[in-house]
Amino acid sequence: MKWRKTTTGAAAMSALLAVSVAAAGCSNDGAHVKVTDYNFDTAGNMFAYAEFELSGEPLAESLGVDLDVLDAGKIDEPTAFDYKAGIESYEYSEEGMYEVVEKSGLGLHLANGPATALEAKAAGVSNNELLASRFQHMAESVGQPAEDIQQNMFPTFIEYASGDPQYPQPVDTGKFADGEDGTYIPNYQVNFASLRWDRDKMKKQLVPAAYGGAMLKQSLWAGDFLGNLHDAKSDEEVDASTAKEGPEGGQGLKLGVSSVDGMQGMILTDEVWNKLLYVRDNLFYNASAKSVGALSASSGGYLPHAVDVEEDGSKDFAGVKSLKVSDGRSLLQDQWLMLWPASEFFGMADQRPANPNRNPAFARVFDGDPFPAAPAVNTDADDANDVASTDPYTVARDVLLAVFDNVKNRHWNEKAGAFVTESDGAAQGAQVDTFQAGYTIEALRMFERAIDGLPVGYANGEAAEGVKTPQGAEAKDMIVKQADFILNSLINKDGLAVTGYDTAKGEASADTSLQAQIGAIRGLTSAFLVTEDEKYRDAARKLYAAMDEKLWDDGLQAYKTNGDKASYDAFTAGGVSAVFRLALEHLKNTSGDADAPKALDQSAIQERYVTFFKHVVNGPKLDEGMQASEFWDTGDAYKEGDDSGNTDGDTVPQIQKGNGEHGIAPILLPVEVTD
């Protein structure tokens, strides 16, 4: 399936800025969507934007939307759903990722990444020099002129837990180049210096859910951007399976789906490789010694919840001086938010000859140039002959299997048939959280697909024959048992999912929440996709209908989240987006369904999607809603003589006009929806 690719180069910006801007009225129906906290949560944002991405272009196109007719400047055309999914959901997702991993500085600089440092040492040059030459080589491999790479980028190899998204200095909105119809490309689009966040207000802590959430975004986009080749002259996408053996350059081809997107895919892949290498060799916790170190030196080690970072003092190229564990627990949310993205990246880097589904475009990316190939002994069927290596495949495999083992050994309660939310390293807790357990099923589904050589990324629903591994079989077994636990123990008499279960008492909680419905629907639908057992789909459909009937509030134009409250953080918003997508793809009414609740008509689901996105995400007013700001990707072009900060007339301001003295980054903030 071919997706529309977004582009980020200067030439592409000129083309995309040539939009006709249509005013859109505010949808203020009396309810308010007030921001409750302006702090940025990395884990929640990156998770939500991953779900927004999957509920964006891929979903729209799967429903028959012609992506070529979408125009960022023509709000809600050809339909509100087409625009919200194909433009806003997708582009908010992409820009939120770039804000974190390339612009803000919210983490440690790629110049200090372990793979960068190893190559620099071997070449006898400084880390900065090596990174610059590496970027130039990656640009050559995708056919992008090196001079078109954005200036003053801050690529991160690992991201911090949180920070202040309000810019501490003025954003440089001066004109870089002319667009069309009075639009122009602002300087900050090609020079990221004015987009830095305040380092003194960052929570310099390494939390697996945060750097894992960032890796999920990076891996999904890298897989999209590098999933095919393109013609070196025309820049048109080329099916990689049609290329002949041998270097692509000799065939007039370049890596990536286009030169600009290919370059972004290269940068994201380099960031993930360095991240995984750093995690493997530095962040595994030895509970008895109460210290972090290399996976190889910590038998049974796991990723602890929080590691505090003392930086080395470098302002421009921040690195680590020391690490200290501040919370040694193993939390389920951390583990599944590492398992899912590590599975996505493993699916890209997989070099096993036994895998019949390997993407030929990925094979060229990891064939030794531009990224190292794995030693042959590490990709054969014999684990006993494996050798230590720093290549992307081996590192991804090492981390992936270690996280899977920890989920299995510290969080799986075999007697109950459910995942518990935490472990102190030695003993399991007793609490099962419905949201966390449901998403663990989805992470295990992606793990099983990756380890068994099935397509991941946007193709994660495609049927295929892969390799059958013991780990894949174990994952399937836990998926089925956890899904059955949801069916048998977590649904109350009203047809709603409860928030959790106490395995020590053998009691389910009495309360329900929107997150509980999301987790149960997510987990049951994932179990259906793995097993094709209709009982899981039927149960997920009933839960969706019950959620829509009992939790939707017409006055608030949103689902109630807990009791009569409607408080949305990024995790909840991302989960709602996912549930709408699953309903449209797998749960909606079909001719084969005995019952056909109105809530599961396709038109009804799309209406909910649009209302939720317009009201809760965008907000009814410029100073309300979860999406803090936006720019040209979603139609807010810059025009000479227009200082409104809202040229498309919607309810989301341009970044320099958002909350704060100098504006705010285009990210998600928590809100309270009230009458």
Side-chain angles (χ1 to χ4, degrees):
M1 189 173 289
K2 182 180 183 299
W3 308 105
R4 178 174 66 88
K5 307 298 177 185
T6 51
T7 53
T8 51
M13 285 185 241
S14 297
L16 285 172
L17 281 169
V19 296
S20 59
V21 178
C26 296
S27 59
N28 184 4
D29 57 3
H32 296 286
V33 187
K34 295 288 190 180
V35 175
T36 57
D37 185 358
Y38 284 95
N39 193 52
F40 173 81
D41 173 52
T42 306
N45 264 257
M46 295 296 94
F47 160 80
Y49 280 139
E51 295 289 27
F52 280 18
E53 176 184 351
L54 296 171
S55 297
E57 283 188 2
L59 173 63
E61 191 168 48
S62 74
L63 296 174
V65 176
D66 181 358
L67 300 176
D68 291 333
V69 306
L70 298 179
D71 186 328
K74 296 180 179 179
I75 295 176
D76 290 348
E77 294 185 23
T79 73
F81 174 79
D82 297 349
Y83 186 85
K84 291 290 181 285
I87 295 291
E88 288 187 331
S89 184
Y90 199 65
E91 304 298 357
Y92 288 165
S93 164
E94 184 177 21
E95 185 47 43
M97 172 188 67
Y98 289 139
E99 189 70 26
V100 171
V101 305
E102 289 187 2
K103 301 175 181 179
S104 64
L106 187 67
L108 298 168
H109 200 287
L110 185 59
N112 296 309
T116 306
L118 285 171
E119 290 190 20
K121 183 177 180 180
V125 298
S126 69
N127 289 11
N128 296 350
E129 290 175 310
L130 188 285
L131 187 61
S133 64
R134 181 152 181 75
F135 270 39
Q136 290 176 341
H137 182 66
M138 291 191 295
E140 181 182 348
S141 73
V142 300
Q144 184 186 43
E147 58 268 23
D148 285 353
I149 300 173
Q150 284 88 348
Q151 301 171 38
N152 288 301
M153 189 184 295
F154 194 114
T156 50
F157 76 84
I158 198 162
E159 296 73 33
Y160 288 148
S162 63
D164 182 353
Q166 297 170 317
Y167 297 116
Q169 66 282 316
V171 175
D172 187 355
T173 59
K175 184 169 72 174
F176 171 76
D178 289 320
E180 296 180 15
D181 299 327
T183 65
Y184 70 89
I185 301 167
N187 287 327
Y188 78 77
Q189 283 291 91
V190 294
N191 186 332
F192 295 163
S194 67
L195 303 180
R196 293 286 188 274
W197 296 7
D198 189 337
R199 296 200 71 78
D200 291 336
K201 295 182 179 179
M202 295 176 183
K203 189 172 185 179
K204 297 172 183 175
Q205 196 172 71
L206 301 180
V207 173
Y211 58 75
M215 182 166 64
L216 178 58
K217 288 294 304 143
Q218 291 165 313
S219 298
L220 286 171
W221 282 104
D224 186 25
F225 289 158
L226 297 177
N228 239 335
L229 305 176
H230 68 275
D231 185 275
K233 291 184 178 180
S234 68
D235 209 36
E236 291 295 318
E237 187 170 348
V238 173
D239 186 343
S241 66
T242 64
K244 301 175 183 178
E245 291 188 12
E248 56 276 352
Q251 304 176 56
L253 302 172
K254 292 289 185 179
L255 299 174
V257 297
S258 70
S259 58
V260 172
D261 286 343
M263 185 59 195
Q264 288 293 352
M266 288 290 167
I267 295 172
L268 294 170
T269 299
D270 205 46
E271 291 171 337
V272 173
W273 174 30
N274 277 269
K275 191 195 319 284
L276 285 170
L277 184 54
Y278 189 78
V279 168
R280 188 192 70 175
D281 292 350
N282 296 274
L283 295 182
F284 275 85
Y285 187 54
N286 185 321
S288 59
K290 298 188 183 304
S291 62
V292 287
L295 170 62
S296 60
S298 179
S299 178
Y302 61 92
L303 297 176
H305 176 58
V307 177
D308 295 336
V309 176
E310 182 183 2
E311 292 186 347
D312 60 8
S314 173
K315 177 182 178 182
D316 296 323
F317 302 98
V320 175
K321 180 179 179 181
S322 65
L323 299 173
K324 180 181 179 181
V325 177
S326 53
D327 189 336
R329 293 175 299 162
S330 177
L331 299 188
L332 186 59
Q333 180 169 277
D334 288 332
Q335 306 309 313
W336 68 255
L337 258 174
M338 277 297 293
L339 188 68
W340 182 1
S343 300
E344 298 283 1
F345 189 75
F346 182 83
M348 284 181 61
D350 192 356
Q351 294 162 43
R352 292 172 295 176
N355 181 1
N357 302 304
R358 192 177 179 205
N359 183 323
F362 295 156
R364 292 177 178 273
V365 172
F366 297 101
D367 64 358
D369 185 18
F371 292 99
V377 293
N378 287 7
T379 64
D380 64 18
D382 183 5
D383 293 342
N385 65 1
D386 289 355
V387 297
S389 178
T390 60
D391 69 275
Y393 166 81
T394 302
V395 174
R397 181 202 61 186
D398 291 349
V399 173
L400 180 65
L401 293 178
V403 174
F404 173 72
D405 283 346
N406 188 53
V407 169
K408 181 178 63 174
N409 296 329
R410 288 192 172 85
H411 293 277
W412 178 245
N413 183 320
E414 176 65 31
K415 182 178 179 180
F419 293 102
V420 297
T421 58
E422 73 174 72
S423 165
D424 64 6
Q428 285 186 353
Q431 296 300 314
V432 176
D433 181 283
T434 307
F435 179 82
Q436 304 297 343
Y439 262 97
T440 302
I441 293 179
E442 172 60 9
L444 283 170
R445 183 178 79 88
M446 298 309 301
F447 169 80
E448 186 273 324
R449 291 189 68 87
I451 205 68
D452 283 354
L454 304 175
V456 293
Y458 291 175
N460 73 79
E462 294 181 5
E465 288 294 326
V467 295
K468 297 187 182 300
T469 65
Q471 296 93 341
E474 288 179 308
K476 285 183 177 180
D477 181 64
M478 288 187 285
I479 286 171
V480 169
K481 289 177 179 176
Q482 175 65 79
D484 287 343
F485 184 86
I486 293 173
L487 287 179
N488 298 327
S489 302
L490 296 179
I491 310 296
N492 68 16
K493 59 182 177 58
D494 294 325
L496 292 173
V498 297
T499 57
Y501 190 94
D502 188 321
T503 60
K505 296 179 180 179
E507 294 179 358
S509 57
D511 57 328
T512 64
S513 68
L514 180 58
Q515 277 201 356
Q517 313 318 307
I518 291 167
I521 293 169
R522 195 74 162 99
L524 291 170
T525 307
S526 297
F528 165 67
L529 293 174
V530 170
T531 65
E532 299 184 349
D533 189 330
E534 289 287 338
K535 75 176 182 181
Y536 299 123
R537 177 178 180 270
D538 291 343
R541 280 169 47 81
K542 289 177 182 177
L543 271 171
Y544 183 95
M547 175 189 75
D548 199 71
E549 175 190 352
K550 300 176 187 300
L551 300 187
W552 182 262
D553 188 299
D554 283 328
L556 296 177
Q557 291 292 281
Y559 291 108
K560 291 179 286 188
T561 54
N562 295 86
D564 290 328
K565 288 186 174 295
S567 302
Y568 284 85
D569 61 9
F571 274 105
T572 307
V576 170
S577 174
V579 165
F580 288 147
R581 180 179 75 253
L582 297 178
L584 287 167
E585 290 179 332
H586 307 293
L587 306 179
K588 66 186 177 186
N589 295 326
T590 68
S591 58
D593 291 317
D595 297 320
K598 188 178 186 308
L600 281 166
D601 286 344
Q602 180 169 323
S603 59
I605 303 166
Q606 288 179 305
E607 182 182 351
R608 284 283 189 262
Y609 183 116
V610 170
T611 301
F612 177 80
F613 211 91
K614 182 179 293 186
H615 190 68
V616 178
V617 177
N618 287 349
K621 299 178 181 178
L622 276 172
D623 62 348
E624 296 187 9
M626 299 188 74
Q627 185 66 31
S629 65
E630 67 174 359
F631 61 103
W632 64 270
D633 270 340
T634 46
D636 224 326
Y638 285 80
K639 291 185 170 185
E640 295 188 70
D642 188 333
D643 190 42
S644 68
N646 186 28
T647 59
D648 60 359
D650 66 3
T651 59
V652 182
Q654 291 177 344
I655 64 173
Q656 79 283 357
K657 291 290 187 176
N659 184 272
E661 181 181 358
H662 303 297
I664 191 169
I667 48 82
L668 294 170
L669 297 167
V671 297
E672 179 81 22
V673 186
T674 58
D675 288 323

PDB file of all heavy atoms in Angstrom, residues 51-69:
ATOM      1  N   GLU A  51      -0.393   6.894  18.139  1.00  0.00           N
ATOM      2  CA  GLU A  51      -1.757   6.502  17.813  1.00  0.00           C
ATOM      3  C   GLU A  51      -2.380   7.478  16.809  1.00  0.00           C
ATOM      4  O   GLU A  51      -3.115   7.060  15.903  1.00  0.00           O
ATOM      5  CB  GLU A  51      -2.607   6.425  19.088  1.00  0.00           C
ATOM      6  CG  GLU A  51      -2.181   5.333  20.067  1.00  0.00           C
ATOM      7  CD  GLU A  51      -2.490   3.915  19.584  1.00  0.00           C
ATOM      8  OE1 GLU A  51      -2.558   3.687  18.365  1.00  0.00           O
ATOM      9  OE2 GLU A  51      -2.652   3.030  20.437  1.00  0.00           O
ATOM     10  N   PHE A  52      -2.091   8.766  16.950  1.00  0.00           N
ATOM     11  CA  PHE A  52      -2.587   9.746  15.977  1.00  0.00           C
ATOM     12  C   PHE A  52      -2.047   9.441  14.579  1.00  0.00           C
ATOM     13  O   PHE A  52      -2.750   9.586  13.580  1.00  0.00           O
ATOM     14  CB  PHE A  52      -2.153  11.163  16.373  1.00  0.00           C
ATOM     15  CG  PHE A  52      -2.981  11.808  17.449  1.00  0.00           C
ATOM     16  CD1 PHE A  52      -3.800  11.056  18.291  1.00  0.00           C
ATOM     17  CD2 PHE A  52      -2.938  13.179  17.635  1.00  0.00           C
ATOM     18  CE1 PHE A  52      -4.559  11.661  19.292  1.00  0.00           C
ATOM     19  CE2 PHE A  52      -3.699  13.799  18.621  1.00  0.00           C
ATOM     20  CZ  PHE A  52      -4.509  13.043  19.454  1.00  0.00           C
ATOM     21  N   GLU A  53      -0.785   9.049  14.514  1.00  0.00           N
ATOM     22  CA  GLU A  53      -0.192   8.712  13.216  1.00  0.00           C
ATOM     23  C   GLU A  53      -0.934   7.549  12.566  1.00  0.00           C
ATOM     24  O   GLU A  53      -1.331   7.619  11.392  1.00  0.00           O
ATOM     25  CB  GLU A  53       1.278   8.344  13.398  1.00  0.00           C
ATOM     26  CG  GLU A  53       1.969   7.875  12.121  1.00  0.00           C
ATOM     27  CD  GLU A  53       3.398   7.420  12.349  1.00  0.00           C
ATOM     28  OE1 GLU A  53       3.925   7.618  13.469  1.00  0.00           O
ATOM     29  OE2 GLU A  53       3.987   6.863  11.406  1.00  0.00           O
ATOM     30  N   LEU A  54      -1.120   6.479  13.328  1.00  0.00           N
ATOM     31  CA  LEU A  54      -1.791   5.303  12.783  1.00  0.00           C
ATOM     32  C   LEU A  54      -3.257   5.586  12.473  1.00  0.00           C
ATOM     33  O   LEU A  54      -3.853   4.950  11.593  1.00  0.00           O
ATOM     34  CB  LEU A  54      -1.671   4.144  13.775  1.00  0.00           C
ATOM     35  CG  LEU A  54      -0.238   3.658  14.030  1.00  0.00           C
ATOM     36  CD1 LEU A  54      -0.210   2.667  15.183  1.00  0.00           C
ATOM     37  CD2 LEU A  54       0.367   3.042  12.779  1.00  0.00           C
ATOM     38  N   SER A  55      -3.847   6.550  13.183  1.00  0.00           N
ATOM     39  CA  SER A  55      -5.234   6.955  12.923  1.00  0.00           C
ATOM     40  C   SER A  55      -5.303   8.104  11.928  1.00  0.00           C
ATOM     41  O   SER A  55      -6.356   8.740  11.789  1.00  0.00           O
ATOM     42  CB  SER A  55      -5.914   7.370  14.238  1.00  0.00           C
ATOM     43  OG  SER A  55      -5.985   6.292  15.136  1.00  0.00           O
ATOM     44  N   GLY A  56      -4.198   8.372  11.259  1.00  0.00           N
ATOM     45  CA  GLY A  56      -4.134   9.455  10.285  1.00  0.00           C
ATOM     46  C   GLY A  56      -4.237   8.942   8.864  1.00  0.00           C
ATOM     47  O   GLY A  56      -5.216   8.297   8.479  1.00  0.00           O
ATOM     48  N   GLU A  57      -3.189   9.228   8.069  1.00  0.00           N
ATOM     49  CA  GLU A  57      -3.210   8.823   6.658  1.00  0.00           C
ATOM     50  C   GLU A  57      -3.473   7.333   6.445  1.00  0.00           C
ATOM     51  O   GLU A  57      -4.276   6.972   5.585  1.00  0.00           O
ATOM     52  CB  GLU A  57      -1.899   9.217   5.978  1.00  0.00           C
ATOM     53  CG  GLU A  57      -1.798  10.676   5.628  1.00  0.00           C
ATOM     54  CD  GLU A  57      -0.568  10.965   4.791  1.00  0.00           C
ATOM     55  OE1 GLU A  57       0.165  10.016   4.457  1.00  0.00           O
ATOM     56  OE2 GLU A  57      -0.353  12.141   4.461  1.00  0.00           O
ATOM     57  N   PRO A  58      -2.794   6.432   7.184  1.00  0.00           N
ATOM     58  CA  PRO A  58      -3.046   5.009   6.938  1.00  0.00           C
ATOM     59  C   PRO A  58      -4.515   4.638   7.108  1.00  0.00           C
ATOM     60  O   PRO A  58      -5.064   3.885   6.304  1.00  0.00           O
ATOM     61  CB  PRO A  58      -2.162   4.317   7.980  1.00  0.00           C
ATOM     62  CG  PRO A  58      -1.078   5.298   8.273  1.00  0.00           C
ATOM     63  CD  PRO A  58      -1.735   6.637   8.191  1.00  0.00           C
ATOM     64  N   LEU A  59      -5.152   5.157   8.152  1.00  0.00           N
ATOM     65  CA  LEU A  59      -6.568   4.868   8.365  1.00  0.00           C
ATOM     66  C   LEU A  59      -7.413   5.485   7.258  1.00  0.00           C
ATOM     67  O   LEU A  59      -8.295   4.818   6.693  1.00  0.00           O
ATOM     68  CB  LEU A  59      -7.014   5.405   9.725  1.00  0.00           C
ATOM     69  CG  LEU A  59      -8.525   5.327  10.006  1.00  0.00           C
ATOM     70  CD1 LEU A  59      -8.994   3.879  10.033  1.00  0.00           C
ATOM     71  CD2 LEU A  59      -8.865   6.039  11.311  1.00  0.00           C
ATOM     72  N   ALA A  60      -7.169   6.761   6.963  1.00  0.00           N
ATOM     73  CA  ALA A  60      -7.977   7.440   5.944  1.00  0.00           C
ATOM     74  C   ALA A  60      -7.906   6.709   4.609  1.00  0.00           C
ATOM     75  O   ALA A  60      -8.935   6.469   3.955  1.00  0.00           O
ATOM     76  CB  ALA A  60      -7.509   8.888   5.791  1.00  0.00           C
ATOM     77  N   GLU A  61      -6.697   6.335   4.201  1.00  0.00           N
ATOM     78  CA  GLU A  61      -6.563   5.666   2.913  1.00  0.00           C
ATOM     79  C   GLU A  61      -7.207   4.284   2.931  1.00  0.00           C
ATOM     80  O   GLU A  61      -7.788   3.846   1.937  1.00  0.00           O
ATOM     81  CB  GLU A  61      -5.102   5.567   2.501  1.00  0.00           C
ATOM     82  CG  GLU A  61      -4.937   5.123   1.054  1.00  0.00           C
ATOM     83  CD  GLU A  61      -3.531   5.294   0.531  1.00  0.00           C
ATOM     84  OE1 GLU A  61      -2.587   4.879   1.210  1.00  0.00           O
ATOM     85  OE2 GLU A  61      -3.377   5.851  -0.573  1.00  0.00           O
ATOM     86  N   SER A  62      -7.134   3.596   4.065  1.00  0.00           N
ATOM     87  CA  SER A  62      -7.759   2.267   4.146  1.00  0.00           C
ATOM     88  C   SER A  62      -9.268   2.353   3.995  1.00  0.00           C
ATOM     89  O   SER A  62      -9.921   1.375   3.610  1.00  0.00           O
ATOM     90  CB  SER A  62      -7.406   1.593   5.479  1.00  0.00           C
ATOM     91  OG  SER A  62      -8.116   2.179   6.562  1.00  0.00           O
ATOM     92  N   LEU A  63      -9.836   3.536   4.282  1.00  0.00           N
ATOM     93  CA  LEU A  63     -11.277   3.744   4.153  1.00  0.00           C
ATOM     94  C   LEU A  63     -11.657   4.353   2.807  1.00  0.00           C
ATOM     95  O   LEU A  63     -12.801   4.749   2.599  1.00  0.00           O
ATOM     96  CB  LEU A  63     -11.780   4.633   5.291  1.00  0.00           C
ATOM     97  CG  LEU A  63     -11.635   4.050   6.699  1.00  0.00           C
ATOM     98  CD1 LEU A  63     -12.028   5.066   7.747  1.00  0.00           C
ATOM     99  CD2 LEU A  63     -12.467   2.785   6.852  1.00  0.00           C
ATOM    100  N   GLY A  64     -10.673   4.456   1.906  1.00  0.00           N
ATOM    101  CA  GLY A  64     -10.968   4.918   0.560  1.00  0.00           C
ATOM    102  C   GLY A  64     -10.739   6.384   0.291  1.00  0.00           C
ATOM    103  O   GLY A  64     -11.101   6.881  -0.785  1.00  0.00           O
ATOM    104  N   VAL A  65     -10.130   7.104   1.238  1.00  0.00           N
ATOM    105  CA  VAL A  65      -9.862   8.525   1.025  1.00  0.00           C
ATOM    106  C   VAL A  65      -8.728   8.686   0.013  1.00  0.00           C
ATOM    107  O   VAL A  65      -7.691   8.032   0.127  1.00  0.00           O
ATOM    108  CB  VAL A  65      -9.481   9.223   2.350  1.00  0.00           C
ATOM    109  CG1 VAL A  65      -9.110  10.685   2.112  1.00  0.00           C
ATOM    110  CG2 VAL A  65     -10.624   9.111   3.352  1.00  0.00           C
ATOM    111  N   ASP A  66      -8.924   9.543  -0.970  1.00  0.00           N
ATOM    112  CA  ASP A  66      -7.878   9.876  -1.935  1.00  0.00           C
ATOM    113  C   ASP A  66      -6.996  10.948  -1.301  1.00  0.00           C
ATOM    114  O   ASP A  66      -7.372  12.119  -1.238  1.00  0.00           O
ATOM    115  CB  ASP A  66      -8.489  10.374  -3.240  1.00  0.00           C
ATOM    116  CG  ASP A  66      -7.435  10.702  -4.300  1.00  0.00           C
ATOM    117  OD1 ASP A  66      -6.227  10.581  -4.000  1.00  0.00           O
ATOM    118  OD2 ASP A  66      -7.824  11.083  -5.417  1.00  0.00           O
ATOM    119  N   LEU A  67      -5.829  10.556  -0.841  1.00  0.00           N
ATOM    120  CA  LEU A  67      -4.961  11.488  -0.118  1.00  0.00           C
ATOM    121  C   LEU A  67      -4.494  12.643  -0.985  1.00  0.00           C
ATOM    122  O   LEU A  67      -4.162  13.719  -0.479  1.00  0.00           O
ATOM    123  CB  LEU A  67      -3.757  10.733   0.444  1.00  0.00           C
ATOM    124  CG  LEU A  67      -4.086   9.602   1.424  1.00  0.00           C
ATOM    125  CD1 LEU A  67      -2.822   8.867   1.821  1.00  0.00           C
ATOM    126  CD2 LEU A  67      -4.810  10.124   2.654  1.00  0.00           C
ATOM    127  N   ASP A  68      -4.466  12.448  -2.295  1.00  0.00           N
ATOM    128  CA  ASP A  68      -3.986  13.497  -3.190  1.00  0.00           C
ATOM    129  C   ASP A  68      -4.920  14.702  -3.253  1.00  0.00           C
ATOM    130  O   ASP A  68      -4.510  15.782  -3.680  1.00  0.00           O
ATOM    131  CB  ASP A  68      -3.783  12.941  -4.603  1.00  0.00           C
ATOM    132  CG  ASP A  68      -2.615  11.963  -4.676  1.00  0.00           C
ATOM    133  OD1 ASP A  68      -1.685  12.093  -3.851  1.00  0.00           O
ATOM    134  OD2 ASP A  68      -2.635  11.075  -5.543  1.00  0.00           O
ATOM    135  N   VAL A  69      -6.184  14.537  -2.845  1.00  0.00           N
ATOM    136  CA  VAL A  69      -7.118  15.665  -2.923  1.00  0.00           C
ATOM    137  C   VAL A  69      -7.103  16.502  -1.642  1.00  0.00           C
ATOM    138  O   VAL A  69      -7.731  17.560  -1.593  1.00  0.00           O
ATOM    139  CB  VAL A  69      -8.560  15.184  -3.203  1.00  0.00           C
ATOM    140  CG1 VAL A  69      -8.596  14.318  -4.444  1.00  0.00           C
ATOM    141  CG2 VAL A  69      -9.154  14.439  -2.011  1.00  0.00           C
TER     142      VAL A  69
END
